[in-house]
Every structure is written in structure tokens, then in C-alpha cells.
Amino acid sequence: MARKKPEPSEVSLTIRASELHQLLGRVVPFADSGDTLPILKAVHVTGHGDYIVAAATDRYTLGVSRLHTPCDRSLDVMIPVVAAKKILSLFKATRTDDPDVALTFTRETVTVTGGSVFAELLAAAPVFVFRLEVGKYPQIGQLLTPEASDSAQPIHLNPTLLARFQKCVGRGEPITMRDTGRQVLVDIGEDFRGAIMQMHSDEKERPDWALLTDLSPADEAVA
């Protein structure tokens, strides 16, 4: 029986500032802002060999983002959302500058360095260290996979148009959507109905999001 390889004490990767925002910035809004489950006030980050995945949820909504960049499969950490927001505020891309950002993860901390603006001002890239959340992140992959059914067809909506309906929502009112084929009917409470036309979109092969979020990197390597 082959011995399991020991996990490295740290995992390091370097990405662009724009890629950092693509990875963390997309999911930070989905992290919990309350005090019920402290573990949900963090972004779950895992490595999968050819890409890195970030996930967050507040139990009502959830978001998962992946970035194609080599990353050790042993990476499995939780960045407190406060730290994630701070990192995003420190490292930003502009039209003329998209600096490298180096992240080094241990079991307890993430060390972040880089940014050409900082280097020009300080004559050296500064180093920021943030503590990581400790615990086990809940499995959320089953919420991202539709039931195996021929009727589970995708719909494509313009997010800018969809946001208009937010202004119509009263306190505690749900938004109910029904796909009619060409347009999606939107009911809010008992006294409002609207519609939004679907967008045309070429279907692309989607990753197995349940696999990315619920299967540990070590198990994935075996599978």
C-alpha cells in the first residue's frame, strides 16, 4: 500500500492583480456578514493542480469562482472575508498596470506581496500577513448541480436588466421566476409581474462545480 505523500508546509503562487480580483472579488459578496456561523465569514480557497477555486456562501446565496493557474492540490484554506477585502483593496489593476501578486499559504497564515506601485514608493515590495480561519468549510457542491433531467435547461439573463427588479421588491418579498421559452416571467409578491427577455449564448462545456467544491484536492488526485 503506497504511503500518502506528506503535505508541504506552504503553498506559493503568483498571479496578476486582475486575476486576484477575478478569483476573490467575485465571491466576497456571497460571504456571510452575520455572527451565526463564523466559518461562513470566510472565503474557501482550494488548489486543483491546473486551477485554483474560491467559494463563499451565507446560506441564502453562494458563489464559486475558478482561475486557471498552476496550484498545488494540497491548498485548502479559508481566508476571513475581512482579510480578503483588505487584500483586494491593497492590490488593484489599472489600464496601464497589472502587477504580479505573490501569495504564500501556510496552515495558519497567508503572506501577500507585490505591486509595482508599492515598489516605486517604497523601493521594495511590502509584505502583508493575514491569519486564516480554522475549521472545516461546509459542503456546498450539491447546491450547484441541477437534477439529472432533460427539463433542466439553462436560461441566460442580462444581469443589468435583472437588477431592475430589485427596486420592485418589498421587505421579505420573494422573486419568483418562470421560464416560458423566450422570456422569463418575474413575479414579486401578489401585485407585480414583469418579464425579461433571455439572452442568446453559445453553450460551453461547464466544469463539475460539485467536484470542485466538495471533493478534497487529495481525493480528487486519487479519483
Side-chain angles (χ1 to χ4, degrees), residues 100-168:
D100 286 339
V101 180
L103 301 99
T104 300
F105 296 92
T106 67
R107 295 180 187 273
E108 298 179 347
T109 64
V110 55
T111 301
V112 190
T113 185
S116 58
V117 174
F118 288 119
E120 292 174 1
L121 294 176
L122 304 176
V127 177
F128 301 94
V129 181
F130 302 91
R131 294 198 67 82
L132 299 174
E133 189 68 46
V134 178
K136 183 174 178 58
Y137 205 78
Q139 293 190 335
I140 59 175
Q142 68 274 13
L143 301 176
L144 296 167
T145 306
E147 295 289 338
S149 170
D150 293 338
S151 62
Q153 299 298 322
I155 61 175
H156 307 283
L157 302 177
N158 185 314
T160 302
L161 300 180
L162 186 62
R164 295 178 182 176
F165 293 96
Q166 183 179 2
K167 301 177 181 179
C168 306

Side-chain angles (χ1 to χ4, degrees), residues 81-101:
V81 68
V82 173
K85 289 180 178 179
K86 185 65 175 178
I87 293 171
L88 291 172
S89 70
L90 290 170
F91 300 95
K92 297 180 179 180
T94 66
R95 291 183 178 179
T96 58
D97 187 32
D98 191 6
D100 286 339
V101 180

Side-chain angles (χ1 to χ4, degrees), residues 15-88:
I15 58 178
R16 296 285 189 179
S18 59
E19 295 174 327
L20 178 69
H21 281 260
Q22 175 187 337
L23 180 68
L24 296 182
R26 284 178 167 182
V27 301
V28 160
F30 294 90
D32 196 3
S33 58
D35 298 320
T36 305
L37 293 173
I39 200 71
L40 297 185
K41 298 174 70 173
V43 176
H44 188 205
V45 178
T46 52
H48 295 261
D50 294 329
Y51 46 86
I52 184 172
V53 174
T57 181
D58 61 357
R59 297 182 297 164
Y60 300 102
T61 61
L62 62 91
V64 180
S65 178
R66 73 172 181 174
L67 177 68
H68 285 271
T69 188
C71 184
D72 196 287
R73 293 179 183 272
S74 67
L75 180 63
D76 188 346
V77 299
M78 289 173 289
I79 306 175
V81 68
V82 173
K85 289 180 178 179
K86 185 65 175 178
I87 293 171
L88 291 172

Side-chain angles (χ1 to χ4, degrees), residues 165 176 178 180 184-195:
F165 293 96
T176 303
R178 297 179 176 84
T180 66
V184 176
L185 300 180
V186 182
D187 290 324
I188 301 175
E190 298 180 353
D191 300 313
F192 179 91
R193 167 169 284 189

